[in-house]
Amino acid sequence: MTKNDKKRVIEEIQDFADTVLKNVDREQVPISIQLDLLRPKMEELATAYQMDISDIFILYMDGISEIQAEKEKDFQEKLKDS
């Protein structure tokens, strides 16, 4: 799987999450339930890329962690500049 494929997978799951979890309070609803709601998209992508769903899950969680770390880094830099 290429870097672009990984990025595309993360974006597709994130787009799906924006729709499916639109009315879900992400602070109150356990992550296990949120992931169950994302499972259909993860299964679809696992089939499309001939991967195990657990590998798609790991790829997604790693990608989200990287995105959050980058946002935090940007936020901290803005605080230093102000």
Side-chain angles (χ1 to χ4, degrees), residues 35-48:
L35 289 171
D36 281 343
L37 293 170
L38 299 179
R39 187 177 184 88
K41 184 54 137 180
M42 289 186 185
E43 287 175 340
E44 175 188 316
L45 292 166
T47 299

Side-chain angles (χ1 to χ4, degrees), residues 17-30 33-34 37:
D18 289 344
T19 301
V20 173
L21 302 175
K22 182 178 177 180
N23 297 319
V24 172
D25 183 348
R26 295 182 189 197
E27 297 294 321
Q28 297 295 320
V29 176
I33 293 173
Q34 293 179 46
L37 293 170

Side-chain angles (χ1 to χ4, degrees), residues 13-74:
I13 295 171
Q14 200 58 30
D15 288 345
F16 186 75
D18 289 344
T19 301
V20 173
L21 302 175
K22 182 178 177 180
N23 297 319
V24 172
D25 183 348
R26 295 182 189 197
E27 297 294 321
Q28 297 295 320
V29 176
I31 191 72
S32 60
I33 293 173
Q34 293 179 46
L35 289 171
D36 281 343
L37 293 170
L38 299 179
R39 187 177 184 88
K41 184 54 137 180
M42 289 186 185
E43 287 175 340
E44 175 188 316
L45 292 166
T47 299
Y49 287 96
Q50 299 177 338
M51 296 174 68
D52 190 78
I53 190 169
S54 61
D55 293 329
I56 294 291
F57 169 76
I58 291 167
L59 183 133
Y60 175 65
M61 295 306 287
D62 286 348
I64 292 302
S65 294
E66 289 175 15
I67 291 167
Q68 289 175 337
E70 192 64 35
K71 285 181 181 179
E72 180 64 23
K73 180 182 170 187
D74 291 344

